[in-house]
Every structure is written in structure tokens, then in C-alpha cells.
Amino acid sequence: MKKILLSIIMVAFTFTLVACGGDRVQGGGGKLVEWYELSPDTEFDTETPVTIHFWHRMGAANEEMVTKWVTEFKEMYPNITVVLTKAGADYNQLAEKVSLSIPAGNTPDIAESYPDHISRYAIAKAPLALNNFISHPTLGYSEEELADFLPSLWAEGTSYDNEGTVLSLPFTKSSEGFFYNKTYFDQHSLNGKTYTEHVEAGLTWETLFAIAQDIKTREPQAIPFGYDSEDNMFITGSEQWGAPYTGYNAETGRGEVLFNNAQSKEMIKYFKDKVDKNLMLTRTLNAEAFTSDIFKTGEKLYMYVGSTGGTRYAYDDSSFNKKGVRVGVAPLPHFEGKERAQIQQGPNINLFKQDNEQRMIAAWLFAKYMISAEKTAEYAIPSGYAPIRYSAYETETWTNYVAGIKANPTTLAEAQNKLVKEAIDMFRNNGDIFFTSAVFNLSSKTRTEVGPLLVKIFSYKATSAEDLNTYIDREYQNTYNFITN
């Protein structure tokens, strides 16, 4: 019965993902990874010692929290030893190390991962398909527990083929947010509305850049808007503009790199025009510094797009206490007359096949522990990553946190707490506009390359419209060739 229910839920989640703009790979091509046959009669041996390894790229604060979880988990399962390893300073470094571990035969048991990474690991059939763990009568999830996960977040773990294969579990999920200097936005108006009122009405890119131009009339040295992630800007801009980025061939089921098209080039030229007018900049154009660093000075840059997982970094002591800045957060701007869309991001966790079934079960049990309602709420509060389960918002941890939010913060910590909650509320309330792009063997490489492509075009000093078009055509083709050859 549970397996039937799981299949029904997977289908429902699939429709949710597709409705949000996500594409699934291997259409009609069968299972990307064969499901591990975990017998319904299998039990976990709580006596024999077993060691599992969790590779991550967390910062010190989050690693400290997970270290505490390891201690708590050890009290529940004294025979399981969990070894935490920071295997990379960022996701790309982590993915490279995991990829190298596969042919060496020393993969971790659990790793933080993005779908693009898992699709690479799956070429070697290394990830553990979790379907029969999820549906296991004693080790798995009940139907109520499955329904407790936010659908679009769970669906991402099934985005690898059309058979419902589950290769990852949601872990610390986020999106991007539009962060703005609310103090400044309350004080200035455009077309009879304060800037804040424009944001609250549903900001468009056209209005955002009209605001930016208005700011420039008062502050010629300002560059009013920043975007931290060039990769995300390219991908989200493509989705919003209606320009193909990646996808899959419905007949062959093979993933395709699609960004080299006229619509995408028009989208890039729209934003390049704003860069050329000094209305915006990106992280690379800001000497690799987050644009939120300028934002916190309370001058020159008054709005930026950044990860909700880094919400706390929108404030520092100087901006809050010395300059009196108060920060607001809203969904991303959209183009007039076009669909709203913003990228769903944040790492998942995936498990790897091992030659010891008890070891895989131990890893599964620790994975379940990390994504329990209490733990996902606990992780969210200091970070801005959203809890991944409905019941997380009913835990004592979360309700106490919400009860402590001050409507008018008087300390930096109170302001950060308030903004984190607002960012998470924005995430919860806008799940219908989140999307994920197609996942296949070249999708990770595509993402890695389109950010630098965007920067090259933004940095180019064209002598004419024809020169710019020629340059864009050439760089798009060069990037496409590099990815696909």
C-alpha cells in the first residue's frame, strides 16, 4: 500500500515541478539509477558498530550545528559513528572531490549536493536510489510524513528521470530575494508612489530601473542596484524572458543545451544596457565582493538580489545602528507582461551505494534525522534557509522564534531575526513561481559557464550596436562550443 501511495505522491510532485517550470531528464529513457532492493523484512542492526561519512561545504556556524546533531544522533544510535568532513570551500569544490572519489571507490555515505552534481555522479551509477528506503514499512516514511514535505522541494529529488527515481532529499532550501533599503525607499517617490509602494505592488524590472534612474538624478555616483550571482541572473532572466536555457528532447529523452538563441541574447542586451548606464552591477563587476557589502554602507547601492540563505548579511552593526537603515525583502522583479519566476536553490543531500547494506541504512537514518521537522527549523533560524516541512513551522523551536520577533527592532540581532522570518515567509508564499532547470550530464557545466559569459558581455565596450551583436554572437557560440564539445 505504501509503495502505491508513494507512486501517486511522486506523480503529484512531478506535476508540481513541471508547473513551476522545471524539466525532467531521461524522458522515456528508463531509470537513471536502478532502485536498490531493500527488503521489507530488513531491520537495522543496533549492535554492530558502523561508521558513515558526511561530506559538506558548510561554514563554521552551520558545521557547528550539524556537529551537535551528530552528538544527539549518537545518543539515539550508539553504534553509529558519523564523521563530518568539510570537503570543499564551495559546492563546486565539493562536487569535484566527490566525483574523484567515485572511481577511487571511497565515496562518502552522504553529501551535500545540487541536482546538477548528482547527474554527474549518476553517470557512474554511484548515487543510491532511495525509493525502497522511503517506502520501507519500518525504516521509511508514512504517508503523512511524505505529505509533510513542501511539494516542490521534494519534487527536486525526483527530477532525474521519468520513473520517479529519488536520488536526493531536500536539505537547506532557499531562493533569491530582492533586498532593499526600506528607510531610503520610504523617503523617496516615483510617479506618485514611494519606492516601497512600488515594491509592495509587485516590482517589475522596468520600474526597478526607473527607480534606479531616479536615484541617479540625485546621486550621480550611485550604482543603485546589484545582483550577486551572475549564474542565477542568466538562468532566472532566461526563464522570465521566455528564452530557452536548457531542456530535454521529448523524443530522445536526452538533455539539451539551448541558451544559444536570439531571445537569450535580447535578454542579455536588456541588462547590459543598464550596466552601461551604471544603474546596476554584479558581484564579479564589484571585484568579486558581494553587492550587499556596498548595500550595508547605506549609500550608493540601495537594492540587490541575493540568496535568502544569506539574509542576515543584509545588515551589519554600522548600517543598523549608526545609519539607521532598515531592510525589506520581496520576491524578484519580473518583466511587464511576462510570467513571474525565480530560481529554487539550496543544497539537497544524497546517499551513495556501498557494499554494506547496514552502512547504507545507517546513512539513511542520519539523513532522516537531519531533515526532521525540528532540525530543519533549527537550521533555518540562524541562516535564512527555509524549513522544508510543513510541521517545522509548528515546532516549539519555530514558534518560539516567531514569538520573539520584534515589529520595531532596536538591536542588530532583532533586525536580523525579523528579516530572516520575512525572507522565509516570502519563500513559503511564492512556491508557485519557483522553477528548476533541466538536469543532465552537461547541466552543471552549462551553469558554470553562463555566468562568465554574462560578465564578458556586461564588460564589453562596444563601438556600435553592430559591434555588440557580433561580439555577443561570437561569445555565445564559443561558450556553447566549450560546453558541448
Side-chain angles (χ1 to χ4, degrees):
M1 177 64 188
K2 187 181 286 187
K3 287 187 178 181
I4 294 173
L5 174 76
L6 180 60
S7 298
I8 293 171
I9 291 176
M10 292 304 174
V11 171
F13 287 164
T14 299
F15 285 134
T16 300
L17 182 62
V18 172
C20 294
D23 291 315
R24 306 190 70 187
V25 300
Q26 303 294 327
K31 296 174 182 175
L32 186 60
V33 173
E34 289 302 315
W35 299 2
Y36 182 80
E37 291 296 334
L38 184 68
S39 170
D41 298 326
T42 299
E43 297 180 355
F44 179 62
D45 177 0
T46 59
E47 300 296 329
T48 304
V50 58
T51 298
I52 60 173
H53 295 262
F54 176 30
W55 288 7
H56 66 87
R57 52 75 257 162
M58 298 176 197
N62 290 338
E63 184 177 33
E64 182 179 355
M65 180 180 299
V66 178
T67 300
K68 180 178 75 71
W69 294 355
V70 168
T71 301
E72 295 168 354
F73 185 73
K74 185 73 171 177
E75 295 175 0
M76 297 171 58
Y77 295 97
N79 67 316
I80 302 177
T81 299
V82 180
V83 179
L84 296 181
T85 300
K86 183 169 183 176
D90 56 38
Y91 294 112
N92 288 334
Q93 288 183 14
L94 173 60
E96 286 301 317
K97 186 163 184 178
V98 171
S99 295
L100 291 172
S101 76
I102 293 172
N106 63 344
T107 58
D109 298 274
I110 311 174
E112 279 190 296
S113 54
Y114 271 84
D116 288 335
H117 304 151
I118 297 172
S119 68
R120 290 168 57 189
Y121 310 153
I123 295 173
K125 308 299 182 183
L128 178 63
L130 300 173
N131 298 69
N132 291 322
F133 289 78
I134 293 166
S135 63
H136 194 275
T138 58
L139 301 173
Y141 283 119
S142 68
E143 54 188 78
E144 291 81 12
E145 289 172 320
L146 283 173
D148 189 39
F149 288 93
L150 275 67
S152 66
L153 305 187
W154 183 274
E156 194 171 291
T158 71
S159 62
Y160 305 95
D161 60 31
N162 283 339
E163 304 295 326
T165 303
V166 183
L167 293 183
S168 59
L169 300 169
F171 183 40
T172 54
K173 306 306 291 181
S174 63
S175 183
E176 291 184 308
F178 174 76
F179 295 90
Y180 60 100
N181 184 326
K182 190 173 186 304
T183 304
Y184 188 89
F185 273 43
D186 286 345
Q187 294 169 347
H188 298 283
S189 300
L190 176 71
N191 298 330
K193 292 182 180 179
T194 65
Y195 294 172
T196 299
E197 288 173 329
H198 282 293
V199 173
E200 292 173 344
L203 194 64
T204 64
W205 287 113
E206 291 82 358
T207 300
L208 181 152
F209 287 116
I211 289 172
Q213 188 63 63
D214 193 54
I215 292 172
K216 290 282 283 186
T217 62
R218 289 188 302 276
E219 303 178 53
Q221 300 306 309
I223 303 180
F225 172 64
Y227 206 122
D228 275 339
S229 171
E230 290 98 0
D231 301 355
N232 285 353
M233 184 176 188
F234 191 104
I235 298 168
T236 298
S238 299
E239 183 75 15
Q240 291 189 350
W241 193 271
Y245 165 64
T246 57
Y248 71 96
N249 186 299
E251 294 182 2
T252 66
R254 297 179 62 85
E256 296 180 323
V257 179
L258 303 171
F259 71 86
N260 191 9
N261 61 76
Q263 300 101 303
S264 178
K265 294 171 186 178
E266 290 301 316
M267 179 271 294
I268 286 292
K269 286 194 289 185
Y270 175 87
F271 286 110
K272 176 172 172 54
D273 174 68
K274 309 308 183 275
V275 172
D276 290 347
K277 292 175 179 176
N278 288 322
L279 298 179
M280 70 168 285
L281 81 169
T282 66
R283 181 178 175 181
T284 301
L285 299 179
N286 190 37
E288 295 293 345
F290 287 104
T291 58
S292 58
D293 291 344
I294 306 176
F295 177 83
K296 286 181 286 192
T297 67
E299 301 174 350
K300 296 185 179 180
L301 191 146
Y302 297 96
M303 47 185 165
Y304 73 97
V305 171
S307 170
T308 57
T311 295
R312 288 183 179 274
Y313 297 109
Y315 275 117
D316 65 10
D317 185 66
S318 176
S319 66
F320 181 81
N321 287 314
K322 295 180 181 178
K323 299 191 175 180
V325 171
R326 299 298 180 264
V327 180
V329 61
L332 263 59
H334 62 283
F335 292 104
E336 289 182 5
K338 293 183 181 288
E339 295 293 323
R340 297 171 62 214
Q342 60 186 75
I343 199 166
Q344 179 174 290
Q345 59 183 25
N348 302 308
I349 49 176
N350 75 283
L351 279 62
F352 291 89
K353 287 187 288 189
Q354 308 293 346
D355 57 8
N356 183 318
E357 185 172 81
Q358 289 294 305
R359 181 177 166 185
M360 290 188 285
I361 295 173
W364 164 251
L365 293 173
F366 184 62
K368 284 185 65 181
Y369 183 76
M370 288 195 292
I371 63 174
S372 64
E374 185 68 29
K375 297 309 165 190
T376 188
E378 188 177 329
Y379 196 99
I381 290 169
S383 65
Y385 286 103
I388 60 174
R389 300 176 69 155
Y390 293 113
S391 60
Y393 298 96
E394 301 171 1
T395 61
E396 184 176 357
T397 296
W398 184 258
T399 54
N400 286 345
Y401 170 66
V402 171
I405 299 295
K406 300 292 192 296
N408 297 297
T410 57
T411 69
L412 174 61
E414 290 175 353
Q416 290 174 324
N417 286 342
K418 180 174 184 287
L419 190 62
V420 165
K421 181 183 180 297
E422 290 170 348
I424 291 174
D425 285 344
M426 185 273 293
F427 183 95
R428 290 178 66 190
N429 295 334
N430 288 279
D432 60 327
I433 67 171
F434 294 154
F435 73 95
T436 58
S437 52
V439 179
F440 56 103
N441 62 319
L442 292 180
S443 58
S444 180
K445 189 176 181 183
T446 304
R447 177 185 175 86
T448 300
E449 295 302 322
V450 294
L453 171 63
L454 180 146
V455 173
K456 285 180 184 179
I457 294 169
F458 282 179
S459 302
Y460 185 68
K461 305 301 181 184
T463 58
S464 65
E466 182 179 1
D467 176 42
L468 177 60
N469 288 336
T470 299
Y471 180 79
I472 290 175
D473 287 344
R474 182 174 70 247
E475 292 304 317
Y476 261 69
Q477 190 64 50
N478 288 342
T479 300
Y480 177 83
N481 291 343
F482 178 74
I483 292 169
T484 57
N485 295 330

